[in-house]
Amino acid sequence: MNLEKLKDIEAEFLEQYPLGFEDAHFFPTMKKFKPEKMQEFATEALKKENFQNPALVVDGFFKTIQKSVMVSLFDKLKLKDALAELNSYEKDMLSIELYELLYGNKKNGFEGLIEFLSQYKLAKWTLISIVPYTMNRQSEYFIKPTTTKMIIKYFELKGLEYKPKPSYEFYEMYTKYLDEMKNNCAKSVTFDNAAFTGFLKIGIEMGEE
């Protein structure tokens, strides 16, 4: 990992935007980005007690994704259509994978959700990672393909090769890299994991201009 590049873009970023993402003048789009409200909604919609009712969990899963500004409308519509066709058994299976992902064996849940959504050609990084990130914004990461590829290449993250189909092994290794990078940056850009990867993307673009 090239930490020198990281410190360079952080210095340039904070020189232009001393308050980081708190400066609404520089980042008007941040007004639409309300991760605290999303976290509050998802935590309630997907709380442990709700898993006694698989239909309620599937509904909470979709509504969490539907409310997110980070997932494309196209994917939301495709997911809506797929979930509308699920029978009771399939809702049961999906809720089991989501429980493992959020409260049990994360690896099993992650891989199980990939397998489940693959049946509908919906095993995409954005759909797999959005709910864990929304509920745990300081420990889980939202994986946006273009941003992820930029970060891997620019910061020379060894042993990582982005692939369109999600995998837990990639997610785990990428998370470790990002956590290390966060530990080397100011709090004004690390308060939220999606904001942090957004900062990296902006910093890379600034450095390449």
Side-chain angles (χ1 to χ4, degrees):
M1 182 199 307
N2 194 322
L3 288 177
E4 186 177 340
K5 282 186 176 180
L6 176 64
K7 299 308 291 182
D8 285 346
I9 69 163
E10 181 189 31
E12 184 174 355
F13 181 86
L14 293 178
E15 183 179 351
Q16 292 196 41
Y17 313 123
L19 297 179
F21 288 99
E22 295 178 11
D23 195 327
H25 174 71
F26 292 113
F27 298 102
T29 56
M30 289 300 287
K31 293 178 181 179
K32 297 180 182 179
F33 180 60
K34 301 291 184 183
E36 299 88 355
K37 289 187 176 181
M38 282 297 302
Q39 184 173 28
E40 186 178 323
F41 175 84
T43 301
E44 177 63 25
L46 295 168
K47 60 186 178 183
K48 281 187 176 183
E49 304 92 282
N50 288 358
F51 282 83
Q52 298 172 18
N53 183 340
L56 186 62
V57 169
V58 172
D59 184 59
F61 171 65
F62 174 69
K63 285 181 177 176
T64 298
I65 293 173
Q66 184 183 42
K67 289 175 178 291
S68 174
V69 299
M70 298 190 293
V71 176
S72 74
L73 177 60
F74 177 75
D75 284 342
K76 290 175 183 177
L77 292 175
K78 284 192 67 178
L79 181 65
K80 180 181 181 180
D81 290 343
L83 296 181
E85 297 297 319
L86 299 185
N87 58 36
S88 296
Y89 173 76
E90 290 164 334
K91 289 179 181 179
D92 243 350
M93 293 300 98
L94 177 55
S95 69
I96 288 171
E97 304 303 355
L98 289 169
Y99 185 88
E100 287 299 316
L101 177 64
L102 300 174
Y103 301 110
N105 184 311
K106 186 166 74 171
K107 181 178 187 293
N108 288 348
F110 197 99
E111 293 176 342
L113 185 57
I114 292 169
E115 185 176 349
F116 187 92
L117 293 180
S118 291
Q119 302 171 77
Y120 310 96
K121 298 182 180 179
L122 285 168
K124 300 184 177 184
W125 276 111
T126 50
L127 294 178
I128 297 293
S129 63
I130 186 63
V131 171
Y133 154 73
T134 300
M135 293 184 67
N136 300 284
R137 297 181 299 112
Q138 281 74 43
S139 59
E140 304 291 342
Y141 290 90
F142 174 69
I143 307 299
K144 186 173 182 179
T146 51
T147 300
T148 301
K149 287 184 279 189
M150 287 173 68
I151 290 171
I152 291 171
K153 182 179 178 181
Y154 190 80
F155 296 106
E156 303 165 33
L157 305 187
K158 303 299 183 185
L160 270 184
E161 180 185 357
Y162 172 84
K163 293 182 179 179
K165 184 174 181 180
S167 74
Y168 185 75
E169 289 73 17
F170 177 94
Y171 182 79
E172 188 175 41
M173 186 181 296
Y174 186 48
T175 293
K176 288 178 180 177
Y177 271 124
L178 290 174
D179 284 344
E180 184 178 349
M181 294 167 81
K182 275 177 62 181
N183 290 335
N184 283 275
C185 290
K187 289 184 179 180
S188 60
V189 297
T190 62
F191 68 96
D192 173 279
N193 282 352
F196 177 64
T197 53
F199 146 71
L200 294 176
K201 179 178 183 291
I202 293 168
I204 291 169
E205 291 171 341
M206 289 169 59
E208 291 180 341
E209 287 179 357

